[in-house]
Amino acid sequence: MCGIIGYIGNKQALPILINGLRRLEYRGYDSAGIAVIEEEKGVRSKEKIVRVKAIGKIDELAKKVVGKDLIGTIGIAHTRWATHGGVTEVNAHPHTGCTDDLVIVHNGIIENYRELKEKYLAGHEIKSQTDTEILAHLIELFYKGDLLSAVREALSQVRGTYGLVVMHASEPNRLVAARLGSPLVIGVGEGEYYIASDTSPMLAHTRNVIFLDDGEIADIGLNKFEIFNVASEKINKDVNHIDWDEAQAQLSGFPHFMLKEIFAQPTVMQDAVRGRYNLEEGTAHLGGINMTVEEMHKVKRVILLACGTASYAAMIGKYAFERLAGISTEVDVASEFRYRDPIIDENTLVFGISQSGETADTLAALREAKRKGAFVRGIVNVVGSTIARETDGGTYIHAGPELAVASTKAYTNMAAVLLLYALQFGRLNRVSLATGQRLLTELRAIPEKMKQILEQSEKIKVLAEKYKNYKDFFFLGRGINFPVALEGSLKLKEISYIHSEAYPGGEMKHGPIALLSPDFPVFAIMTKNQLYDKMRSNVEEIKARKAPIVLIATEGDESAKELANDVIFVPPTMELIEPLLNTLPLQLFAYHTAVLLGRDVDRPRNLAKSVTVE
Ligand code: F6R
């Protein structure tokens, strides 16, 4: 979703901002813009702000800035993902008030922008359809020579969410930033500061960062900055060091980030489990759970809150928690959870699962669960993200930066961490030492088995070529492989734009089977587990309707070949761990299909990486 990068220091801002915008591209956007306080011969004497905006890719903006006088060492820039108002240059940020003296970039939504307009802005010339421009005019209205006071006064009138950065031509050594519900991070460099919606655009310059919290305002100058809390008191905040580096944000020879991330799974899976289990005791020890053994024994219910792909990883966690720990577990799509009346008590353990750690619905659902007295923990990828900081403990999944919009390596690592949690709880009661050891031994073998599947990438590409022109697909799975089917289906639809649906195999005859025909290929996960015979019968039913069948089957299951048009074999493993393998061929199929169809694989249309609005 929208991205922000701002710079204040002694280097030229333009290249830093343009490169920063490129690092933010992964979040999804449809237009971009930049503003720099122009200097003459190194002196900010003209007090003039130059602004350039473009719809489409950052390259379009980069082309437009050529020849413009964007010379200056302070500036702000933005990638916009349209919410209020269509995708037009006028609607792109930065926005100004009536004059060009004040510019603002903003993520979030100003809910009462119509009221504000009516109450304060009669006579103002409003140029765009955005809520952000209203904020620009409001700050302009309250500006009496001190940008910080004007921002404060304007924000006191606002209802909604924001991560914003403002600059004013009359105070050319100052950026003012504020956060409420939409993340902002300050990067602390040598005599320079960065301000951005996440750490990715600043990693090439600094890895020392300060995360702003809700209600905080930062006043950033040339060699100093101050942060104020909701009560306008000056506060000191810790500087955090980020381990991720710039190299992880490069393609490193891969044609797309998605492929790079699919192929990273064997490595990052090791990072997710390393140091988090004890083979001798057959258990996991995730210290982030932050609960005493007595408290863990009291847990009677687990609720897993997440959206999209993360919710499918959560479904794998449900099977694991119920089977290993015997604890009743529900998966709730966060956007629904927050608007019903969930039953939660002090014996409920709630996990929020999120790659970005910023998903607005997941965050709101977790806050609701916390208000109702649950233990609330996070399973998150992005270090220092809001969910990571707002939960009372939890675990980083260590997948590294995930830059393709479609989630892949985060999904498998989320599932692995959930399996470890389920084992940790399971070993407190019903899981034997032998079962625990077997599970861990299998988990340790997964990276090598993943590699065997990845070696089949070219073969899967041939399948993608064969099936790429079909208009509809089914993905079927049973038990712990149902979430795999859901994930395979989501991957295909989001990056190739082909319609697909996922069902539990046993549900087909309750309706969906009516759709089957030779034009409706079916991917079925039919690996050797306790539901193998059941799934096989379902596949027979499909075969009888003459739909083309592609099976994900266990190596050595020669009979699969007779049943299906095509088979992708995966190495055998324990049933609970199967999703960590079975998902990979489906990720590869979606990837190759999208590439063959000429789609923008890493940045599919209409999608954003980090969904920070409701
Ligand atoms: C799909 C995808 C989305 C995200 C969802 C949650 O490939 O990436 O469905 O999984 O938006 O995002 P996070 O995990 O950041 O909370």
Side-chain angles (χ1 to χ4, degrees):
M1 228 151 227
C2 307
I4 289 175
I5 169 75
Y7 175 76
I8 177 164
N10 41 37
K11 297 184 191 134
Q12 279 304 308
L14 180 65
I16 291 173
L17 297 177
I18 292 282
N19 287 332
L21 289 179
R22 290 192 200 283
R23 294 283 172 259
L24 289 167
E25 281 191 299
Y26 79 97
R27 294 167 71 99
Y29 69 105
D30 40 50
S31 53
I34 190 164
V36 169
I37 299 193
E38 193 180 74
E39 282 174 17
E40 237 179 40
K41 300 195 177 73
V43 183
R44 280 181 280 277
S45 57
K46 276 176 98 180
E47 295 183 353
K48 187 178 146 204
I49 291 179
V50 185
R51 209 164 43 118
V52 182
K53 308 198 268 187
I55 53 174
K57 298 292 175 201
I58 303 301
D59 284 341
E60 297 306 314
L61 182 70
K63 274 185 222 152
K64 282 184 83 172
V65 297
V66 176
K68 297 264 179 2
D69 285 339
L70 282 149
I71 297 165
T73 56
I74 298 183
I76 55 178
H78 189 263
T79 48
R80 175 174 188 255
W81 190 85
T83 53
H84 288 76
V87 182
T88 63
E89 206 172 297
V90 175
N91 286 340
H93 302 213
H95 286 285
T96 62
C98 290
T99 72
D100 282 355
D101 285 350
L102 178 137
V103 279
I104 182 172
V105 288
H106 162 233
N107 289 352
I109 292 176
I110 307 301
E111 287 165 11
N112 60 338
Y113 78 103
R114 281 197 193 86
E115 287 163 40
L116 293 172
K117 187 176 165 189
E118 265 170 41
K119 187 167 171 194
Y120 293 105
L121 303 180
H124 281 242
E125 190 206 338
I126 309 293
K127 299 163 286 277
S128 75
Q129 301 156 303
T130 66
D131 50 339
T132 302
E133 193 192 341
I134 302 301
L135 198 50
H137 284 264
L138 206 59
I139 300 171
E140 179 182 60
L141 184 75
F142 293 133
Y143 186 74
K144 307 275 180 305
D146 176 18
L147 191 56
L148 179 65
S149 307
V151 170
R152 265 201 194 120
E153 205 172 337
L155 293 181
S156 70
Q157 306 298 317
V158 156
R159 212 174 51 240
T161 56
Y162 48 80
L164 59 87
V165 189
V166 192
M167 61 184 192
H168 200 289
S170 304
E171 297 181 80
N173 295 330
R174 194 177 206 186
L175 292 177
V176 175
R179 167 192 168 141
L180 187 72
S182 196
L184 275 184
V185 192
I186 299 174
V188 182
E190 296 273 327
E192 58 183 11
Y193 299 108
Y194 301 81
I195 175 92
S197 43
D198 68 50
T199 57
S200 56
M202 57 181 75
L203 288 179
H205 312 284
T206 181
R207 287 200 257 157
N208 296 325
V209 302
I210 295 169
F211 297 104
L212 288 189
D213 284 303
D214 278 352
E216 291 177 354
I217 299 191
D219 185 6
I220 310 173
L222 265 183
N223 276 306
K224 64 178 173 63
F225 68 90
E226 291 178 328
I227 300 176
F228 301 90
N229 65 13
V230 189
S232 300
E233 296 155 346
K234 209 167 120 185
I235 49 166
N236 289 321
K237 298 201 61 150
D238 291 341
V239 177
N240 300 269
H241 185 76
I242 299 293
D243 286 338
W244 292 1
D245 62 31
E246 179 63 1
Q248 288 171 296
Q250 311 288 346
L251 279 167
S252 316
F254 283 90
H256 299 99
F257 281 110
M258 185 176 174
L259 193 63
K260 181 184 176 195
E261 288 158 11
I262 291 173
F263 272 78
Q265 288 174 107
T267 311
V268 298
M269 175 65 53
Q270 284 167 331
D271 297 339
V273 299
R274 188 183 297 122
R276 289 175 163 172
Y277 62 88
N278 181 330
L279 191 57
E280 213 171 297
E281 293 177 12
T283 190
H285 48 76
L286 294 148
I289 189 69
N290 219 0
M291 292 167 88
T292 61
V293 171
E294 290 70 37
E295 284 172 330
M296 289 172 75
H297 272 295
K298 280 192 199 142
V299 172
K300 297 285 171 284
R301 238 168 109 226
V302 169
I303 299 179
L304 305 173
L305 297 176
C307 299
T309 285
S311 75
Y312 302 150
M315 287 171 77
I316 299 167
K318 171 184 162 72
Y319 284 94
F321 261 100
E322 291 188 340
R323 197 171 294 174
L324 294 174
I327 302 174
S328 157
T329 303
E330 292 157 39
V331 176
D332 251 291
V333 170
S335 54
E336 289 297 313
F337 178 87
R338 61 187 290 198
Y339 292 115
R340 54 184 186 82
D341 294 314
I343 297 156
I344 288 173
D345 58 26
E346 69 282 4
N347 297 325
T348 308
L349 170 60
V350 174
F351 284 99
I353 302 158
S354 173
Q355 187 288 127
S356 61
E358 303 292 352
T359 302
D361 285 320
T362 309
L363 187 58
L366 285 171
R367 286 176 178 159
E368 178 63 14
K370 207 168 173 178
R371 239 189 318 270
K372 293 198 160 158
F375 289 99
V376 174
R377 303 291 181 264
I379 295 179
V380 170
N381 192 34
V382 176
V383 176
S385 55
T386 310
I387 292 177
R389 286 178 301 127
E390 282 202 12
T391 41
D392 305 316
T395 300
Y396 284 118
I397 61 169
H398 292 322
E402 194 181 64
L403 299 179
V405 163
S407 189
T408 51
K409 60 178 181 170
Y411 169 83
T412 36
N413 272 24
M414 284 167 183
V417 167
L418 281 161
L419 280 167
L420 288 177
Y421 266 123
L423 176 63
Q424 187 165 340
F425 275 84
R427 284 288 285 137
L428 292 180
N429 48 42
R430 49 199 237 161
V431 174
S432 68
L433 172 65
T435 305
Q437 286 178 329
R438 198 173 146 235
L439 195 118
L440 289 170
T441 307
E442 274 301 319
L443 204 52
R444 280 167 18 134
I446 285 299
E448 277 313 309
K449 294 184 181 183
M450 282 176 154
K451 283 183 195 162
Q452 292 170 36
I453 298 171
L454 296 174
E455 278 162 15
Q456 299 182 60
S457 180
E458 283 307 306
K459 186 183 151 201
I460 294 171
K461 185 175 171 183
V462 174
L463 281 188
E465 182 68 59
K466 176 171 169 186
Y467 289 99
K468 69 174 197 272
N469 292 322
Y470 283 89
K471 298 280 174 271
D472 310 278
F473 282 81
F474 264 125
F475 286 79
L476 306 184
R478 297 194 71 141
I480 202 156
N481 282 307
F482 174 47
V484 175
L486 286 163
E487 177 58 4
S489 170
L490 180 65
K491 286 293 89 92
L492 186 68
K493 66 175 80 118
E494 68 182 333
I495 61 166
S496 74
Y497 318 146
I498 296 174
H499 166 243
S500 79
E501 299 195 31
Y503 273 91
E507 263 298 288
M508 284 299 279
K509 32 184 181 310
H510 299 288
I513 203 165
L515 288 170
L516 287 184
S517 76
D519 295 326
F520 212 130
V522 178
F523 273 71
I525 301 133
M526 198 189 77
T527 37
K528 286 275 176 136
N529 56 37
Q530 59 170 344
L531 290 169
Y532 175 80
D533 290 336
K534 305 278 174 212
M535 191 68 208
R536 217 188 143 84
S537 308
N538 297 144
V539 174
E540 299 276 7
E541 289 156 10
I542 293 159
K543 194 176 166 72
R545 271 85 192 168
K546 299 194 168 46
I549 298 168
V550 183
L551 287 179
I552 310 297
T554 307
E555 272 166 14
D557 182 6
E558 291 305 313
S559 68
K561 286 187 188 156
E562 289 150 31
L563 203 53
N565 300 65
D566 293 284
V567 185
I568 305 169
F569 285 108
V570 293
T573 188
M574 268 173 92
E575 183 172 336
L576 274 178
I577 299 180
E578 280 188 1
L580 303 187
L581 297 179
N582 295 353
T583 311
L584 269 59
L586 304 183
Q587 293 171 340
L588 283 168
F589 179 75
Y591 169 79
H592 287 302
T593 305
V595 172
L596 289 166
L597 292 174
R599 309 296 191 230
D600 188 352
V601 176
D602 283 340
R603 291 186 286 275
R605 70 184 181 204
N606 306 338
L607 293 179
K609 181 67 181 164
S610 179
V611 185
T612 50
V613 294
E614 204 182 318

